Amino acid sequence: MKEIDFLPEWYKEGKRRRVRMRWQCIALSVVFLAMITYNTISAHRIAAATAALTRLDEQRIQAESVMHEFDVLNRELTEYQAEVESLQRMDSRIEPAAVLAEISHIVGPHIVLSRLEFIAEPVAAPEDNSNRSRSSVRVAGTKSNVNKREPLGDVRFRIVLAGVAARPENVGELVCRLEASSFFRNVHPSGFRNSTIEVPNAQAQEPTGSGPQKSAAEAKKELQVSEFEITCYLANYEEIEGK
């Protein structure tokens, strides 16, 4: 028995076309969903990368701020170190109050100092060189220009004592006391001479009431004194042979 197909070709072709269109729609839907998923994932990754870049930029700004502060602190530290080195060079490593107290203890009641000088010299400077470069710290007697003082550093101090004594033996006693003191070394007199000074007469200054006024010449008396100058070195250094 032969089958007879009564369906026309255009119906069959339309059915096949609808099936193909259905599969094409399904494929397009899958591709569309894949594109949406890819775009969503890409947007999320882009947002995460943008946030990471923002954090990195903030960290970069903080790092630049820290580096700037470090540079400022480093410059300040360098300046402080330079100041400390300058202060160390200027430090004479002596105690002037202790030296003055020792001199006050050594000087007897029959001696009056008119000049006391602390002259800073390099440690290696010869003692007999009168033209050597030096900076002085003057305690009494003369004025000095502060702006011309040099940094002290490793120096030794030459001390000059000048004044008057009641008797010549008082000068010898002073020299002996300076030599016996542990504060001083290389003590030697650099000047000595006898002179006469005028002092007020105590009797002439007593009021007599009814007696005649004494003349100015009678109100003073002359005394024989010894003017001296002693040079020594402060024992703030130690001499080592061969150095």
Side-chain angles (χ1 to χ4, degrees), residues 110-193:
H110 301 289
I111 295 176
V112 177
L113 294 180
S114 61
R115 181 164 56 93
L116 175 60
E117 291 183 358
F118 288 77
I119 303 174
E121 299 176 350
V123 175
E127 296 181 9
D128 56 350
N129 186 2
S130 60
N131 295 327
R132 56 183 169 267
S133 176
R134 65 190 183 184
S135 60
S136 62
V137 181
R138 300 182 183 271
V139 178
T142 58
K143 298 181 180 179
S144 61
N145 191 348
V146 178
N147 296 327
K148 294 184 179 180
R149 292 180 183 176
E150 301 173 358
L152 299 181
D154 295 332
V155 296
R156 65 179 180 178
F157 281 89
R158 184 162 61 93
I159 302 176
V160 179
L161 298 92
V164 294
R167 296 183 299 274
E169 54 267 24
N170 297 137
V171 180
E173 293 176 358
L174 177 60
V175 173
C176 293
R177 290 179 181 177
L178 289 172
E179 290 178 345
S181 175
S182 60
F183 279 70
F184 310 102
R185 62 193 303 175
N186 300 338
V187 181
H188 62 275
S190 58
F192 181 84
R193 68 186 180 93

Side-chain angles (χ1 to χ4, degrees), residues 8-82:
E9 289 296 329
W10 60 268
Y11 177 77
K12 295 178 181 180
E13 184 65 25
K15 188 177 181 180
R16 287 193 293 270
R17 188 168 54 253
R18 286 193 296 272
V19 171
R20 287 195 301 270
M21 290 179 64
R22 190 180 297 115
W23 282 107
Q24 289 178 358
C25 289
I26 293 172
L28 291 174
S29 299
V30 172
V31 172
F32 180 73
L33 292 175
M35 292 179 63
I36 292 176
T37 304
Y38 176 77
N39 290 333
T40 303
I41 295 173
S42 298
H44 178 72
R45 290 182 177 179
I46 291 172
T50 303
L53 288 175
T54 302
R55 289 193 299 271
L56 289 176
D57 189 63
E58 293 176 356
Q59 293 177 359
R60 179 185 62 81
I61 294 174
Q62 293 178 357
E64 290 179 352
S65 177
V66 171
M67 289 297 296
H68 178 69
E69 293 179 359
F70 174 77
D71 292 338
V72 173
L73 293 177
N74 194 18
R75 287 195 297 269
E76 292 180 356
L77 178 61
T78 303
E79 293 177 357
Y80 290 151
Q81 288 177 347

